[in-house]
Amino acid sequence: MVLITLRNIRKNYRADNLETAALADVSLEIDAGEFVAVMGPSGCGKSTLLNVVGMIDSPSSGDYFFCGENVAPWPESRLVELRKRNLGFVFQSFNLIEDLTVYENIELPLLYQNTPRAQRKARVREVLELVDLLPRARHKPAQLSGGQQQRVAVARAVVTDPKLILADEPTGNLDTRNGEEVMGMLDILNQQGATVLMVTHSHEHAARARRIVTMVDGRIASQKHVPARAGAVEAASA
Amino acid sequence: MLKHYITQALRSFWRFRVTALVNLVGLSLALVCFIATYLFLDSLLKGGDGEFKNASRIYALTQELWTTPTSRMIPAFPMAAPGTAKYLRADLPGVEAVARAASRGEIAAATEDRSGYVFAVVADPDFLKIFEFETVEGDLHDALASVHSAVLTEGAAMRLFGTTSVVGRSLLLQNNIQVTVTAVIHPPPASAHMGENPKALLRFDVLLPMDFLKLSPGGFTDNPDAEEWGNDSYWTYVLLPADGSVTVSQLRETLRTFPERHIPKDQMLSVFGAIPLERVNLEMLEAGAGNGGVQLTTAPFLLDALILAIACLNYANLTVAVATTRAREIGMRKVLGAGQPHLVRQYLLEAALLGTAALVLVLAGTAVAVPAINRMLGLEFHLAALLHPQLWALVGGVLAFISLAGGAYPALVLARVRPVDALRSASLRAGPRFVPTVLVGIQFAAASFLLAVALLMSVQNHLMQRLALHPDRDPVVAIGNNIHEFGGTFENLRNELLRDSRIKDVSAVFGIPWQMGGPHQHIRRSPSSASVSIAMLNFTTYDLFQTLGLRILAGRDFDRGHSDPIFDWNPNAVPGVPSVLIDRALLRELGWTRPEQAVDQTIYIASPWDPSVPDRPLHVLGVVDNGFPRIVGPNSDSNVYVLSPMGTVTPLVRISRDDIPGALAHIDAVWKELVPKAPVRRYFMDELFNQAYQTYANISAALTSLCAFAFVIAVMGLIGMAVHVTSRRLREIGIRKTLGASARGVVMMLLRDFSKPVLIANVIAWPFAFLAGRMYFELFTQRATMTPWPFVTSLAITVAVAWLAVGAQAMRAAAVKPAVVLHAE
């Protein structure tokens, strides 16, 4: 089933009478359950593509179908509802809220969905166990290592059981070991049915995806399907 | 979700605690203003008058006097003409009681072995039925039935007799009237409008029957049966029946049509009303201020609202400034599903929490500080007022305003920030660039308005003090006793006083100097002139202007050698056209430009409300400078002076400043010789001025305090803005310094940028301050001239304060090392 369809998406930025095309006629389809990596040089529009797909930025023109609905013209108030129920985000710089504890950071999306208290509590515990951070529930982000913070970010991204996980260079600020851990989690989530769209500079991490989309100058230059890696899941869980 | 909002708010306050403290202080100051105003008005409104047993059923009548249907001469003081009570009893037989009371002033009182002075009030018998005073001894039923009866307060009884068991004993009043004590009462509550309190509007130690006036004439209250509808000097009270058979609406309707039933057409137009007893103190103040467009109960709250608006603008500005540094968090919340309502609720709740914290702080401080403030300032704030539902309703309204006004702007602005923009940069601009500048500008405009008005008030107040207090001149002493009451004559007193060279001049007026009030008259230049001026008619004797140090500008003063015709209310009682002097203010109002033009002219007392009444001529003997000792009062700017025996009631004595004690001793000795049984009551004119002026000094002090509050809040806001703005401009400053800018140049650049909104704001405030200042000036009989200096001074002070506030921050920013900031970027 096709989850996402982008048709002729353009995204322009205007500064002092100069217009720059961050995305130029991008068309792309992503099936439900796919793991897609987006690569390309700096400034090619990878993050912009991710932002548009993640509905946190709106295209200048073109159509964006999510689950068959064209959401491109939707106002922010409708997008926020769609976003919070269907999408999860993982950022390079974690973007945890400093004033909140680990538990509260993960709980936040459920609060915005008005999830009842008992249900929230159970679900947060579940994902804390999933990322192996239950003992750190009361800690603040500043008290965690980079890898731990990113695990919290991953936990927060999946706590609402989203259809689509968007990861913008999730391992960019991590060392190799922690990066592997995070990639392993994304693998598992994908195995469990979540669609993953990941921006990365790392060829090694991109190879974990099923399809690699390469962008240059705001356009999709190429798309390549990656054969499944044998033992990939076992390696991630080790 | 509420728990999350509260947790987030508290942690945010802690993280940005300096900003939170700045906001807390600002909001607290604003709340202090509201609560202080409420307590002050409560002390006026709920003074002891509410403690009278029948208070809820007692109403005081008011009477306005109008020259024409569109020109009001006297506002609605809570007093009425003497005949009002009689006719009202007939119109409304269902009321339980109607009674009058009138002040007789301070009179001499003596027993067998003691003497002194008492403040006397004459009253109808039903006065004791309306106000059920608590008795110490005796029975109030018929206590004022006989013209020779007297009811003493407990304090008066102790002073005069040394005991309160005095029913049946005799008292000699005014050296010649014997009365018998019929009852002794506990005094009314200290803050009631009547009683022993020196500040009471109807001050009394002894109550006498109304007919006592006929035994001892002197003054407007001479004849209580007179049909003098322009003489609104009687307190007139109505007690409505407990069964509700006559309501206040019926009373007011009866009063509305009262004039057409009872007042002859040739009398001035009157409008009657009725106010609840508890409002008497306040209505007296309102009437004294002319019953202007903005009521005294409203005006302070308007000023408080101004302070609150400044505090809320401050809050909004600082919150946005802080929030823009939390851009990533806001962006992330939106990414995670926070909609606009979530963010709006978050910021409104933060504003409400801070407002509540400010409220708790202020209430706790008030509970601790009120007793001390009462002691220090002689006020009557009631702590119990802090429990009033009305106060909580006011506070609730204020908190709601803080939440909405203070929290709405950041809430709405930040809620509109796009998530991608917030995530992309560590800080962002929320809302239009000019808004923070405008908000700071508005704060400073309000503060500058208050400062300019405070300076203008100070100019007026200094003028009054300069005109009233003459440290370089011989002092003037007013004698409070009326010698006629003791069988003496003013001329005799004068001659005896002038035997001593330390006595320079002796004259007299009617009434104690610096008191408000007196008879107003309509004056015009000819009977056919449509233009009429309202002036105060002052009863005087010879040498008044010399005594007061007022210069004769043209013509001459009253002179014994010329036998100048005197003035009597009855034009047929004395031959000839009365001679008068007019002051410079009346000269101008009558259309003359030079004093000489008015000399030997005839002016007329007119009755514009009844053209059939002929004008009464007056011959202008001379023109005197402004400066009659009167501070304020409606239509009290200009004066006409007449010679009259009534003008000998209050002797004024100018004494040599070279030997003040000696002069005073001579006055005392002369008085003792002439009136051995009654000690002299004398006051320096300066003392009388200070007493009368106290209210305006307090108002000025209150406004200055408000101004200081406003500046503190605005300055804190400016400092907060400066901190955020300079931190955002550090990179720019680093680049400028790399390109050759000096630290001094950077400081001047920053100071200029911060000063611009402050300068513009101050100038914008000028027209509003001008209008407010002019309204204040017009309260006074002698007005200061409006000059540019208060405005220029306010500008200089405002800019200086702004520079001081941001100077340190500007210097810190200018000292930054370019390599550090550019490397960090």
Side-chain angles (χ1 to χ4, degrees), chain B residues 152-169:
Chain B
L152 296 182
T153 63
E154 191 179 359
M158 289 303 297
R159 273 189 288 122
L160 293 170
F161 293 97
T163 171
T164 56
S165 299
V166 297
V167 171
R169 290 180 69 171

Side-chain angles (χ1 to χ4, degrees), chain B residues 192-506:
Chain B
H193 80 282
M194 65 170 78
E196 291 182 324
N197 188 336
K199 292 183 191 169
L201 295 173
L202 189 62
R203 185 176 175 186
F204 71 83
D205 304 305
V206 60
L207 290 171
L208 302 167
M210 185 61 70
D211 283 345
F212 181 90
L213 285 177
K214 296 176 183 172
L215 300 179
S216 170
F220 296 119
T221 53
D222 267 2
N223 183 1
D225 300 327
E227 300 256 332
E228 293 171 345
W229 294 102
N231 178 12
D232 59 338
S233 54
Y234 283 73
W235 294 86
T236 308
Y237 305 95
V238 175
L239 177 64
L240 295 180
D243 62 7
S245 51
V246 178
T247 63
V248 63
S249 304
Q250 287 170 297
L251 171 63
R252 286 181 175 141
E253 180 54 30
T254 303
L255 289 169
R256 191 182 65 79
T257 55
F258 186 95
E260 63 201 55
R261 288 195 302 280
H262 301 298
I263 298 181
K265 293 282 183 279
D266 64 350
Q267 297 273 324
M268 213 180 292
L269 303 170
S270 291
V271 175
F272 291 89
I275 57 169
L277 180 67
E278 287 178 343
R279 287 193 64 90
V280 164
N281 275 325
L282 195 58
E283 290 298 329
M284 189 57 118
L285 277 178
E286 296 278 10
N291 285 138
V294 180
Q295 287 202 310
L296 285 181
T297 41
T298 313
F301 284 115
L302 289 178
L303 288 175
D304 295 341
L306 190 61
I307 303 290
L308 183 64
I310 295 173
C312 287
L313 285 173
N314 207 33
Y315 176 87
N317 228 5
L318 285 177
T319 304
V320 169
V322 164
T324 54
T325 61
R326 295 163 62 186
R328 266 195 214 286
E329 176 197 326
I330 294 166
M332 204 54 222
R333 283 180 181 273
K334 297 193 95 174
V335 165
L336 294 174
Q340 196 159 354
H342 289 115
L343 289 173
V344 168
R345 282 196 285 265
Q346 176 71 46
Y347 282 103
L348 289 182
L349 184 81
E350 283 188 18
L353 278 177
L354 207 59
T356 305
L359 177 66
V360 168
L361 200 66
V362 168
L363 287 177
T366 304
V368 166
V370 159
I373 289 170
N374 282 344
R375 270 197 309 275
M376 270 188 330
L377 302 179
L379 295 171
E380 302 262 352
F381 287 175
H382 304 116
L383 263 186
L386 291 178
L387 300 173
H388 287 176
Q390 300 94 309
L391 176 62
W392 287 100
L394 172 69
V395 162
V398 169
L399 274 182
F401 180 82
I402 290 172
S403 304
L404 285 170
Y409 176 68
L412 291 170
V413 158
L414 294 168
R416 286 203 184 103
V417 168
R418 294 194 314 156
V420 66
D421 294 332
L423 290 170
R424 196 172 281 143
S425 66
S427 68
L428 51 77
R429 182 174 302 120
R433 183 201 292 263
F434 63 86
V435 172
T437 307
V438 168
L439 293 183
V440 166
I442 294 173
Q443 287 177 51
F444 267 91
S448 300
F449 164 78
L450 290 171
L451 175 62
V453 172
L455 288 170
L456 287 168
M457 287 177 79
S458 169
V459 166
Q460 174 66 46
N461 295 344
H462 275 116
L463 173 72
M464 291 308 302
Q465 289 183 314
R466 189 165 50 82
L467 292 176
L469 306 173
H470 303 289
D472 56 332
R473 291 199 206 162
D474 295 324
V476 177
V477 174
I479 296 177
N481 313 74
N482 182 354
I483 197 163
H484 303 292
E485 294 177 356
F486 305 99
T489 66
F490 167 73
E491 285 300 324
N492 196 19
L493 172 66
R494 176 179 176 272
N495 291 335
E496 291 301 316
L497 286 171
L498 284 172
R499 286 183 193 281
D500 192 305
S501 60
R502 289 172 292 196
I503 305 298
K504 300 293 185 184
D505 288 292
V506 180

Side-chain angles (χ1 to χ4, degrees), chain A residues 13 83 95 99 104 112, chain B residues 11 15 333-334 424:
Chain A
Y13 291 105
R83 199 161 61 222
N95 281 341
D99 287 334
E104 288 164 348
Y112 289 137
Chain B
R11 289 182 194 167
R15 200 165 136 217
R333 283 180 181 273
K334 297 193 95 174
R424 196 172 281 143

